[in-house]
Amino acid sequence: MKKLLLIDADCGVDDAQAIMMALASPRVEVLGITCCYGNTLLENTCRNALRVLRICNKLQIPVFAGASAPILGGPLLGASFHGKDGLGDAPDPSAPGQELLQKEHAVNAILRIVNERPGQVSLVAIGPLTNLALAVKMDPTLPKKLRSLFIMGGNTESRGNITICGEFNFVTDPEAAYIVLNDYTCPTYIAAWEFTCSSLLPWDFYHEWVNQDTEKAKFMKKITAHSLQVSESHKETPGKREWASGFVSCDSYAMAAAIDENFITEASVIGVSVELNGSLTRGMMVMDWTDKLKKEHKAIVIKKCDLGKFQELMMAALK
């Protein structure tokens, strides 16, 4: 039996990498992609998801437009690391158009798809968690019908990549992250920022990866060129040298765990939440090491992984 995955993404470059990993795996079936704002505007993330599906010859997979802003509104800053359009500012004039998007809203699609296959679907959330938060508020029984939830987001050591103490996906919509970590009671796996940075791949692997003689690899090399330049500039920046010293595809770690839980070699089983009010810590994931929150539902926060298996999945994504 193949694993059934529903992917919620703000399709930037690393989202594209993660989605292509899933599409290439014989172990899973992707039921759909629900889009939200994040790395760029919703209009762009939807278009980007369609571009990824086209290069993989998978345009039959439905794409749904979802939340266009955080629950409480606020500025949409985006992540310049992936370019203004989310895919490295490498436009394709022949990219699939918005007419290929499904008419159904992403939140409604999440509820419908999970209800059609109770206990079988795993959600893979690799963007801000707004769609997931809205879905559980519309149907509080949703988590009981999920097989599992895989999240790329949050942090474990208060290291920020967008604010002093906050990771991008959680800081972009802290209320949504809080709702998801507290209301989703299905098995929940988290690939946090520090874990991805400590599991980076050598740049030699990156160059081998994007220089495979395939259309997928050519596409990936094109859309990652901008990010590569940014990473090069960060090698001399205090606080950013560590993660710029290798290739990090953040969202792909959560996807690898969703494809095969044996990818995870060490994890902490712990209660987690999100800080909403701190002047310096808003959006930071809270690790309840002393169990003061008394949470019955504990998350599986990934600490280490099988990098050999990860490289195999990454290489297969572009073949």
Side-chain angles (χ1 to χ4, degrees), residues 91-113:
D92 178 0
S94 62
Q98 300 282 344
E99 69 275 3
L100 294 183
L101 291 175
Q102 301 298 304
K103 303 302 181 187
E104 186 179 20
H105 192 278
V107 175
N108 293 329
I110 291 171
L111 296 175
R112 176 181 56 78
I113 291 170

Side-chain angles (χ1 to χ4, degrees), residues 73-318:
L76 302 178
L77 301 178
S80 59
F81 185 77
H82 298 300
K84 291 182 180 179
D85 74 349
L87 283 190
D89 294 327
D92 178 0
S94 62
Q98 300 282 344
E99 69 275 3
L100 294 183
L101 291 175
Q102 301 298 304
K103 303 302 181 187
E104 186 179 20
H105 192 278
V107 175
N108 293 329
I110 291 171
L111 296 175
R112 176 181 56 78
I113 291 170
V114 173
N115 275 292
E116 287 173 351
R117 300 171 176 84
Q120 299 178 53
V121 179
S122 293
L123 260 174
V124 186
I126 50 179
L129 296 172
T130 313
N131 285 336
L132 274 69
L134 295 172
V136 75
K137 289 305 179 186
M138 287 180 67
D139 181 3
T141 69
L142 172 65
K144 297 178 182 178
K145 300 168 188 172
L146 281 170
R147 174 177 175 174
S148 49
L149 169 61
F150 295 84
I151 297 171
M152 189 283 130
N155 46 10
T156 55
E157 300 169 8
S158 71
R159 297 188 190 185
N161 64 356
I162 192 73
T163 60
I164 295 173
C165 296
E167 178 276 331
F168 176 80
N169 285 342
F170 278 28
V171 167
T172 300
D173 194 342
E175 280 71 27
Y178 179 92
I179 289 167
V180 170
L181 293 193
N182 285 284
D183 289 7
Y184 277 74
T185 54
C186 56
T188 301
Y189 299 79
I190 300 176
W193 169 242
E194 293 92 340
F195 157 68
T196 66
C197 290
S198 67
S199 304
L200 48 75
L201 298 175
W203 282 115
D204 286 347
F205 170 84
Y206 166 82
H207 292 295
E208 179 185 357
W209 183 58
V210 297
N211 284 307
Q212 298 179 78
D213 188 20
T214 67
E215 289 305 309
K216 292 179 186 177
K218 292 173 185 175
F219 170 76
M220 187 56 64
K221 189 172 185 178
K222 181 179 178 182
I223 67 171
T224 55
H226 175 84
S227 303
L228 190 63
Q229 286 185 332
V230 176
S231 293
E232 284 291 329
S233 69
H234 284 170
K235 288 181 179 179
E236 304 302 323
T237 305
K240 294 184 178 180
R241 294 191 188 102
E242 182 181 4
W243 67 266
S245 63
F247 171 51
V248 183
S249 177
C250 295
D251 292 336
S252 298
Y253 295 90
M255 187 62 73
I259 292 170
D260 182 2
E261 285 95 336
N262 291 325
F263 160 78
I264 304 168
T265 58
E266 185 178 341
S268 296
V269 180
I270 187 171
V272 291
S273 190
V274 176
E275 173 58 43
L276 297 180
N277 300 312
S279 61
L280 297 177
T281 56
R282 176 169 158 77
M284 184 182 79
M285 186 166 78
V286 175
M287 304 280 284
D288 186 17
W289 294 110
T290 54
D291 200 31
K292 286 185 171 60
L293 297 177
K294 304 299 180 186
K295 296 187 72 169
E296 290 185 17
H297 174 63
K298 303 291 197 289
I300 301 158
V301 181
I302 307 170
K303 294 175 67 177
K304 295 181 180 179
C305 66
D306 184 336
L307 283 177
K309 188 183 294 290
F310 187 63
Q311 290 184 54
E312 290 174 6
L313 290 168
M314 292 288 284
M315 290 297 289
L318 300 189

